[in-house]
Amino acid sequence: MVKYNPELKAQIVHEYLSTTQSTNDLSKKYHIGKSQIARWIQRYRLTGSDVFKRRRHKWNFTADFKLNVINYYQTHEDSMAEVAARFDILPSQVSIWRSIFE
């Protein structure tokens, strides 16, 4: 079960981008942590509006994809969360793959 539906996520991001409301204001309004809202905004900015669509199947990542993610993380100044958002994966996946690679 998904904790927050995609429509709510899109609505909150849209409110943030189209008004002067801060993540703190939206956090209070919707009773959702401001760091969670900030992650949604970041993911939206990196990957666009499709980021909030529900996935219907489990993703299986190839070794090449994992190596590309690790290579990107090691050669760019982006944080682990930024890399995860760019590749539409969880930050913990980047961390686990990096540990296995090392």
Side-chain angles (χ1 to χ4, degrees):
M1 183 173 151
V2 177
K3 189 169 183 178
Y4 302 107
N5 69 46
E7 293 81 17
L8 176 64
K9 293 176 186 179
Q11 177 184 344
I12 292 170
V13 169
H14 177 71
E15 275 187 56
Y16 175 82
L17 296 174
S18 64
T19 66
T20 59
Q21 294 187 53
S22 68
T23 55
N24 197 35
D25 296 336
L26 293 169
S27 174
K28 290 176 184 175
K29 179 178 178 180
Y30 291 100
H31 306 288
I32 298 172
K34 63 183 176 182
S35 61
Q36 179 65 56
I37 293 171
R39 281 192 295 273
W40 294 341
I41 294 165
Q42 180 183 46
R43 288 179 63 211
Y44 176 82
R45 285 182 171 158
L46 288 171
T47 59
S49 60
D50 289 342
V51 73
F52 300 127
K53 290 185 179 177
R54 288 190 180 143
R55 296 183 184 141
R56 298 278 182 213
H57 60 282
K58 182 179 176 181
W59 281 21
N60 291 317
F61 301 106
T62 65
D64 284 339
F65 177 79
K66 293 175 186 180
L67 288 173
N68 286 336
V69 172
I70 299 306
N71 184 46
Y72 184 90
Y73 176 70
Q74 292 178 337
T75 58
H76 291 77
E77 296 294 321
D78 294 351
S79 70
M80 201 171 288
E82 290 168 329
V83 172
R86 180 171 302 281
F87 288 95
D88 195 22
I89 57 177
L90 298 172
S92 60
Q93 288 174 307
V94 178
S95 177
I96 290 168
W97 296 343
R98 195 183 101 216
S99 296
I100 291 170
F101 178 75
E102 291 175 348

